[in-house]
Amino acid sequence: MEYKKSKQLLIYILQISILLFFSFFPESLQKTVLAKYDIYFNLLIACFIFFYIIRHKKTYIWHILIILFLTFQLFSTVSHQGHIAWALWGRGVLIISLCIGIQSTYYYNEKLFLKTVYLFFYSLIFINFITLLLFPNGMYEDIRGITDTNYFLGNYNGFIIYIFPALITGYLYFKKYTNKLPPGYLFLWVISLLTFIIKRSATSLIGLSIFGIYILFFNTQKSHLFFNIKSYLAANIAFFYFFVWNSSNNQILNLVTSLIGKDITFTGRTLIWKNAKYHIYDCWLIGNGLEKAETITNKLGFIQATSAHNLMLDLLYKTGFLGFIILSIPFFIFLNNLKKINNIKIRYFLEAFCGILLLMSQFEAYNLKFILFIFTILYMYTCENRKSKAGKFD
């Protein structure tokens, strides 16, 4: 009996690991034999997920909204004759499979799920950190001919999509099941910060530093009076409106510019934002759909600008006002669940994470797969950990 249970748990862990591995396939492995069979593994995963849906016949409002958004994104892409294959597969079926795969495995065993996700991403981050030390000039050359920014997990700007899942699931696991953060979790913070110190990714380093400072000094009931989800949303909306949407004629930005005598473009981002805004006006209702990298770079005016370098602006550019509204609904459902969870300290932690991720997203249009992945996990957590009575500040 014990052997059978251990075998079931091992199979369960392998299922989660395989799902995560092929969903977040390390960039450095694209030239290996694994890359040749990547599509077959993803197809197999998708088939298993849809078999699960047919067998259990369970639907959740979260997944219905995600499917609605991805379907709308496909419609927008087809309407503009864009990158239809990508909208249908990479940014369509595979994302749906990932989100539903999370749901099916999460509800089976929350404790083991959080621990497996934490250890999986921890392993990748540690391997990646070693490659930074062993290959200071980079591991491989990408399609742009650049070497010194590419390591085990790919370009250094993408490291955060591996780091955040580890930090978040690790915190949820340890605070709920042990009520303490072990040295191993603290070491994860150290190597994560060192990673961005070595590679000098300003957005990720500043975001992680703010997050770490919040956990150490401000995750309290008194601080929550000022540091809460309402203030985070208000600050991000104000930043987006004044500095992103109106970057070309912003009086505050112009004042700072005149004081230091230097053009502030956030490494060219204000020019990208201006060009993206121009194309949003052209098709504000349904957006421009998903496009090939060459098309986007020509429109935005920068050879390396394959996105609008702002998550909200990127969503408006690709799916318009309607797509943005559709995707906002599950986010606000999650926020509504968040205020009902039973551990107040975890609630404040997750609120801070949302605020900081939104702040970082003012400068980066993070992969939609990562965004939906992390918020699907958090949605599942808030559904499973609602309070029946007033929670204590543990």
Side-chain angles (χ1 to χ4, degrees), residues 10 24 59 158 163 179 226 236 258 280 295 314 323 330 333 343 353 390:
L10 179 61
F24 295 88
T59 55
I163 289 174
N179 200 30
F226 305 99
N236 274 285
S258 62
I280 289 171
T295 305
D314 201 58
I333 289 175
N343 187 307
F353 167 72

Side-chain angles (χ1 to χ4, degrees), residues 49-68 96 99-101 103-104 107 333 376 379-380 383:
I49 295 302
F50 286 108
F51 173 76
Y52 171 86
I53 297 171
I54 294 170
R55 181 179 178 183
H56 293 275
K57 297 179 181 178
K58 291 183 178 180
T59 55
Y60 296 85
I61 185 63
W62 179 270
H63 297 105
I64 292 173
L65 289 168
I66 298 303
I67 292 171
L68 178 62
I96 295 171
C99 293
I100 296 177
Q103 170 241 307
S104 61
Y107 284 141
I333 289 175
T376 298
Y379 171 75
M380 297 298 169
C383 287

Side-chain angles (χ1 to χ4, degrees), residues 331-345:
F331 177 69
F332 283 105
I333 289 175
F334 158 70
L335 293 184
N336 183 62
N337 283 353
L338 183 57
K339 65 183 181 182
K340 300 175 183 177
I341 65 173
N342 52 18
N343 187 307
I344 298 178
K345 197 163 189 177

Side-chain angles (χ1 to χ4, degrees), residues 4-22:
K4 185 177 180 181
K5 185 177 180 181
S6 298
K7 185 179 178 180
Q8 288 176 338
L9 292 178
L10 179 61
I11 293 173
Y12 173 78
I13 292 170
L14 287 174
Q15 286 177 337
I16 299 175
S17 300
I18 291 171
L19 177 67
L20 295 176
F21 182 77
F22 286 101

